[in-house]
Amino acid sequence: GSLVGSEMCIRDSLYVVSLLLGLIIGSFLNVVAYRVPKKESLIRPGSHCPSCGHAVRWHDNVPVLGWLALRGRCRDCQAAIPVRYPVVEGLTGLLFLAAALVIGWAPRLLLAWAFFAVLVAVSLIDLDYFIIPDKIVLPSAAVGLAASVLLAPQRWWQYLVSGLGAALFLFVVALIWPGGMGFGDVKLALLLGFVLGADVIVAMFAAFLMGGIVGVLLLATGRRTRKDRIPFGPFLAGGGIIGCLAGAHVLTWYVGLIG
């Protein structure tokens, strides 16, 4: 009984740590998404209000709770603080928790956390600027491949082929459909394959399915026209998250279905 209780305590502690860590990382990702496209330092100056320049007090910088306490307004100048900040923090916290629930305490959990953090950051930047920065996605792809090979050296070729295959597929799509796909998406697909291996198949399918559904809805509601650009990075990111959390189960189910 005591052993089972200890295991449950450790498990629950992992979930709490995962959620809190995700909230903290999510706060940093807001900084990354704001400063990287502007080519600003991620370290200096510290967190400050873009409107009045005043430094954000440490207790106002607590993820989600700080925004709620301030009621979405700067303490000094009362400028509105976008609701996106707590949403990103909360979302990242939930993603980190989901990874812990699915993977458990294993070395691959650290890779999943880093993978999700990169996906959130590039999604935000792509939504704002229609770019996926090389300085984020290319080093992440290299580290992702190295980590995947280190965790499963017997399947090194699978991760390499998956990354190159996914990137080649989107490269062909970008050549055929230059207005709807960018080469930043190609590099992001490389990262997905390097981290997910064969599960990138599920990720790519989910990305195109979500992109298609959202595109049709935007056109049907008049919020976008056929001439408007819609960033594909967030859909690739969403597919990557699905592939990481459920890709193996979906592939097993599909193989059994056609078998």
Side-chain angles (χ1 to χ4, degrees), residues 109-158:
L109 177 60
L110 300 178
L111 176 58
W113 282 345
F115 182 53
F116 287 174
V118 171
L119 293 181
V120 170
V122 298
S123 294
L124 294 173
I125 295 172
D126 200 20
L127 283 170
D128 288 340
Y129 299 96
F130 292 96
I131 59 171
I132 297 177
D134 287 349
K135 64 171 61 178
I136 293 179
V137 75
L138 291 180
S140 298
V143 172
L145 177 60
S148 295
V149 172
L150 183 65
L151 292 171
Q154 71 279 7
R155 296 204 304 270
W156 67 268
W157 60 271
Q158 185 182 106

Side-chain angles (χ1 to χ4, degrees), residues 62-86:
V62 176
V64 180
L65 296 180
W67 188 89
L68 292 174
L70 292 171
R71 297 182 180 180
R73 297 281 177 179
C74 171
R75 185 179 293 277
D76 295 292
C77 70
Q78 295 302 305
I81 303 172
V83 70
R84 187 172 91 170
Y85 286 100

Side-chain angles (χ1 to χ4, degrees), residues 4 43 155:
V4 173
I43 302 174
R155 296 204 304 270

Side-chain angles (χ1 to χ4, degrees), residues 24 79 125 143 236 244:
I24 295 170
I125 295 172
V143 172
L236 280 174
C244 183

